[in-house]
Amino acid sequence: MTRVDLDNGCVLSAGELSLPVASLGAPNPLPPMQGFMEVPVDLTGSDLPEHIRAGAAYGTLKTAMPYLVKDAYGRERRPGRIATVVLENEVLRATFVPGLGGRLWSLLHKPTGRDLLYSNRVLQPANFGIANAWFAGGIEWNVGTHGHSPTTHAPLHSATVTGPDGSPMLRMWELDRLHGTVFSITAWLPPGSDVLYVHGRIVNPGDETAPTYFWANAAVPESAGVRLISHAHRSYWTALDRTLKPVPYPDRDGVDHSYPARSDYSTENYCEVPSDRPWIAALDERGSGLAQASTSTLRGRKTFAWGRTEGCRHWQTWLSGDAPQGYCEFQAGLTTTQYENVAVGPKQTCAWTEAYGLLQVSPALVHGAWPTAVDAVESHLDALVSADQLDRAHRELSSVADRAPKEYHSRGSGWGALERRWAAARAADWPPLTGTPFDDVTLGAEQAPWLTLLRTGELPRLDPASAPLSYVTGTDWRDRLENAPQSWLTQYMLGALAHAEHDLDTAHTHYLRSLTHDVTPWTLRALALVHQARGNETEALRTMEQACHAAPDSVHLAIEAVAMLRDADEPARCLRLLDAMDPALLEHPRLRLQHAIAAGLLGDHTEGEALLADPADTFELPTLRSSETLLEQLWFLTHPERPLPDAYNFRWNPLATDDAMRERLHGRAAGTVAVAR
């Protein structure tokens, strides 16, 4: 461990975690043109406040572009080491992992030896994030748009910065490529402080108003006695029918939902809290636990419970390596719900300060009537960190927000450096950003073609058989591409820009022009997605199959082609495509599963029975998404009369039942057989 500073009773040091790690693998080279960003709830209800509906309608995105998806991980975990930065004083030790989105991995209260957070004992990606890979535990910083941030599994720039009192602080920052803003998280632990201060900041360096988003998600250990308490008497609840409803809080339908362990199924509540120093706490049966408070800008509060269904319990063990204790979450954000965005004007800043620490309140008060519990927690919170203390800390941290870093701990991406170069090339007024610099040393292979475009006015040549390494979005890049010498790559990139904005007509035109230069699997695949979005299923399937045949070694194209055929209820065609593939590709768990399902729909259950035969060797689909039912489909195709085993149960919604899946598959299989005949 490298000691950085020993002054003033505050220490910042570098270290590492040793734990089982599932390798992340290389990113998927196929850009996520569609299908990731839909708001998962209905927000049109007349009983919702106008500010929620307006905020949800502003700044919405159709795609995670220009980020690429990370989906090459598996379930095999090996001993690994993760670099950390530790900030500590006499009271608290905060362990951050800048290489994993800056996650606050643990927050140890030194006098009691208690970790206030749920610190995962494994690093296991799962398909929960905007860019697929996400992991559970600690406190994550979600920036950009609703969902788990694309930077969850990405390194942030991180460095030591001198704090207002001369003690060391940790600053982490990166460019949010979804909206072109710069976000930073600065952690400060003054000598003797009982709370960790976290200063969040989002800067819009552009010349146009930009939407933005931020939520901090804290995972805490769950037990029957843990109560999530905030100053709320009403919340917005995501109901089973996926509508957002205003409801009383915490009592609803005879259940006190401030106790996460009492929720029958996965539940989230967006709490209405006062705007003056919003706060929330997770206190156990002894009245002790993590408390969080913030300045008024961070006004939203949310509680999340996994619930007690078999599927939700399975998800927790899936994410945490069969840990004996589960977790729940409380969250804090810029808006009332996580479906809203806020506006940041040109060259403007949105900033706030949070505080995290141990709170101890009489158990009788914590677990008494709700008004009594709220008043008691708020009174004790005043002693831990008052509104005046928070405001003072915010002013002090804001005063050093532009203070230059002293020593780097990690480097993030080169996209911020590229945007700084791009602003200079078009004589734009890019702010100095001295507190969050983007140095040229971070420029790499992903930025190389775009640097060439800036320097020479054209994209470098790329072998049509090779997938592009990166993508860009925005009107400035579009203008530069339109003025460049035209090639398959230039036209393809122009199509991708339009596609990301859901301008399907323009995307279609550019993709067709790209194909006049060279027929590439990447353009064919993108064109197939345009056909699909337009409802032209016949052309979509034909073009996607063509793309798959043009790149026979691409497992990513194979997965997409098979999924499209499956969604179109074409199992025979799906099976023919799979059987024509390189046998090595069929070792991929998703393709193995699709092959067995397609065969099962056509009446051949041999492969499905073999795949699921051994209960001691459970078949796993590492990238299973929460709404996917592929494992259920295969089980009931091969075992129509047997209940779904726990090993294949990932259901969130209690309305999803064995009988419902059997009925769905019976109708689908009957229709498929009739067509086949």
Side-chain angles (χ1 to χ4, degrees):
M1 182 173 287
T2 303
R3 187 57 53 96
V4 176
D5 194 299
L6 293 172
D7 297 333
N8 306 321
C10 179
V11 175
L12 191 152
S13 56
E16 60 183 19
L17 293 170
S18 296
L19 73 169
V21 174
S23 175
L24 186 60
N28 185 333
L30 305 180
M33 301 293 194
Q34 58 196 44
F36 285 86
M37 308 299 291
E38 293 84 358
V39 173
V41 298
D42 180 2
L43 300 172
T44 60
S46 59
D47 51 355
L48 292 178
E50 177 58 29
H51 77 267
I52 291 181
R53 292 200 299 270
Y58 171 66
T60 56
L61 298 170
K62 297 291 186 182
T63 171
M65 280 273 284
Y67 290 99
L68 294 180
V69 169
K70 298 173 181 178
D71 59 1
Y73 53 86
R75 297 284 303 169
E76 181 180 357
R77 295 183 288 267
R78 297 178 178 176
R81 297 179 183 275
I82 301 171
T84 64
V85 177
V86 179
L87 189 63
E88 62 182 305
N89 66 2
E90 304 91 331
V91 182
L92 295 170
R93 179 184 299 131
T95 300
F96 294 86
V97 281
L100 295 169
R103 188 78 60 104
L104 176 55
W105 191 274
S106 70
L107 184 61
L108 181 73
H109 185 256
K110 295 165 75 172
T112 61
R114 177 179 178 180
D115 194 340
L116 303 180
L117 297 174
Y118 178 83
S119 298
N120 210 332
R121 64 180 189 177
V122 301
L123 180 59
Q124 175 60 62
N127 191 357
F128 279 77
I130 293 172
N132 191 312
W134 175 84
F135 63 97
I139 301 179
E140 61 178 307
W141 323 106
N142 291 307
V143 180
T145 193
H146 71 85
H148 297 289
S149 175
T151 57
T152 291
H153 257 285
L156 301 187
H157 303 274
S158 67
T160 301
V161 177
T162 302
D165 58 353
S167 64
M169 304 189 303
L170 172 65
R171 179 169 297 151
M172 302 176 289
W173 68 96
E174 186 52 281
L175 177 76
D176 167 28
R177 302 188 67 208
L178 294 174
H179 296 301
T181 58
V182 175
F183 70 90
S184 62
I185 299 293
T186 301
W188 181 39
L189 194 51
S193 175
D194 290 319
V195 295
L196 170 72
Y197 291 106
V198 177
H199 183 68
R201 193 171 188 241
I202 298 174
V203 178
N204 176 12
D207 298 323
E208 304 289 338
T209 297
T212 195
Y213 169 103
F214 177 85
W215 279 77
N217 292 11
V220 295
E222 182 187 85
S223 66
V226 168
R227 195 176 201 186
L228 301 182
I229 303 175
S230 65
H231 198 153
H233 300 281
R234 189 168 86 145
S235 74
Y236 298 95
W237 166 59
T238 305
L240 290 177
D241 62 0
R242 305 311 296 169
T243 59
L244 195 67
K245 300 180 183 297
V247 294
Y249 188 81
D251 295 311
R252 186 182 72 251
D253 300 329
V255 176
D256 184 344
H257 287 278
S258 65
Y259 291 93
R262 297 182 185 179
S263 294
D264 289 333
Y265 50 86
S266 179
T267 303
E268 56 184 18
N269 285 280
Y270 296 98
C271 300
E272 277 192 343
V273 296
S275 59
D276 182 21
R277 194 200 56 173
W279 57 268
I280 192 166
L283 305 182
D284 61 17
E285 59 278 354
R286 297 168 297 175
S288 177
L290 179 67
Q292 184 268 7
S294 73
T295 51
S296 59
T297 299
L298 205 68
R299 63 188 179 90
R301 292 298 183 274
K302 173 187 170 182
T303 67
F304 171 77
W306 276 101
R308 295 180 291 184
T309 66
E310 198 62 51
C312 288
R313 285 199 296 267
H314 191 191
W315 271 116
Q316 289 211 61
T317 60
W318 179 264
L319 290 165
S320 55
D322 300 321
Q325 183 175 33
Y327 71 92
C328 56
E329 293 183 7
F330 67 68
Q331 306 171 13
L334 292 175
T335 50
T336 303
T337 74
Q338 291 175 335
Y339 310 119
E340 305 160 66
N341 295 304
V342 298
V344 182
K347 308 294 188 292
Q348 297 299 305
T349 296
C350 174
W352 61 92
T353 297
E354 304 177 70
Y356 293 91
L358 175 70
L359 194 67
Q360 177 67 60
V361 185
S362 164
L365 297 176
V366 166
H367 299 287
W370 181 249
T372 301
V374 169
D375 290 345
V377 172
E378 189 158 38
S379 175
H380 284 73
L381 189 63
D382 284 335
L384 179 68
V385 56
S386 67
D388 287 344
Q389 283 177 282
L390 259 173
D391 288 340
R392 183 167 59 252
H394 180 69
R395 289 192 300 271
E396 291 178 317
L397 286 163
S398 297
S399 72
V400 296
D402 293 317
R403 185 168 289 176
K406 292 170 54 179
E407 180 180 349
Y408 278 83
H409 304 289
S410 63
R411 296 283 188 174
S413 77
W415 293 111
L418 179 70
E419 285 301 309
R420 177 177 51 77
R421 288 281 200 94
W422 175 220
R426 66 184 193 273
D429 183 21
W430 180 269
L433 298 177
T434 54
T436 54
F438 296 105
D439 299 332
D440 284 352
V441 69
T442 60
L443 293 166
E446 293 179 341
Q447 294 79 40
W450 308 105
L451 275 175
T452 300
L453 179 63
L454 291 183
R455 291 170 180 156
T456 68
E458 61 182 300
L459 284 175
R461 293 184 180 275
L462 179 66
D463 181 353
S466 299
L469 288 178
S470 60
Y471 294 80
V472 293
T473 54
T475 56
D476 292 331
W477 286 109
R478 183 185 63 208
D479 293 344
R480 183 63 66 119
L481 285 167
E482 286 177 342
N483 292 317
Q486 296 306 297
S487 65
W488 79 264
L489 182 59
T490 306
Q491 285 295 323
Y492 169 65
M493 287 298 178
L494 283 166
L497 278 163
H499 206 158
E501 297 169 358
H502 207 60
D503 183 354
L504 299 179
D505 291 342
T506 301
H508 182 262
T509 298
H510 284 301
Y511 292 149
L512 290 179
R513 288 175 182 169
S514 176
L515 292 172
T516 64
H517 292 274
D518 275 298
V519 177
T520 73
W522 331 115
T523 308
L524 288 169
R525 173 257 184 183
L527 184 61
L529 294 178
V530 170
H531 288 315
Q532 184 184 47
R534 285 173 150 185
N536 190 342
E537 184 177 275
T538 300
E539 279 301 300
L541 296 177
R542 183 189 66 81
T543 310
M544 185 62 87
E545 285 177 313
Q546 190 179 355
C548 192
H549 291 310
D553 60 344
S554 172
V555 69
H556 302 99
L557 272 173
I559 288 170
E560 286 198 7
V562 168
M564 187 178 284
L565 288 165
R566 178 204 69 210
D567 292 343
D569 284 329
E570 292 274 8
R573 198 167 166 183
C574 181
L575 209 55
R576 286 196 299 270
L577 182 64
L578 284 163
D579 287 340
M581 290 178 186
D582 183 337
L585 291 187
L586 297 183
E587 292 302 310
H588 191 285
R590 191 168 284 273
L591 292 179
R592 289 180 66 195
L593 185 60
Q594 295 281 27
H595 194 282
I597 290 174
L601 288 169
L602 294 169
D604 180 0
H605 303 299
T606 306
E607 185 178 0
E609 290 170 348
L611 208 59
L612 305 180
D614 185 359
D617 186 21
T618 303
F619 175 80
E620 291 184 322
L621 181 61
T623 57
L624 183 74
R625 199 162 180 87
S626 60
S627 58
E628 282 190 300
T629 60
L630 293 178
L631 288 168
E632 288 187 52
Q633 290 181 42
L634 182 59
W635 176 263
F636 288 115
L637 280 171
T638 55
H639 306 81
E641 303 303 323
R642 293 172 59 185
L644 183 70
D646 293 346
Y648 300 122
N649 185 349
F650 290 90
R651 295 167 177 163
W652 288 63
N653 193 325
L655 300 180
T657 64
D658 289 3
D659 287 342
M661 180 55 71
R662 289 189 185 103
E663 182 178 348
R664 172 182 168 187
L665 282 174
H666 176 74
R668 185 173 184 180
T672 299
V673 171
V675 171
R677 288 173 181 165

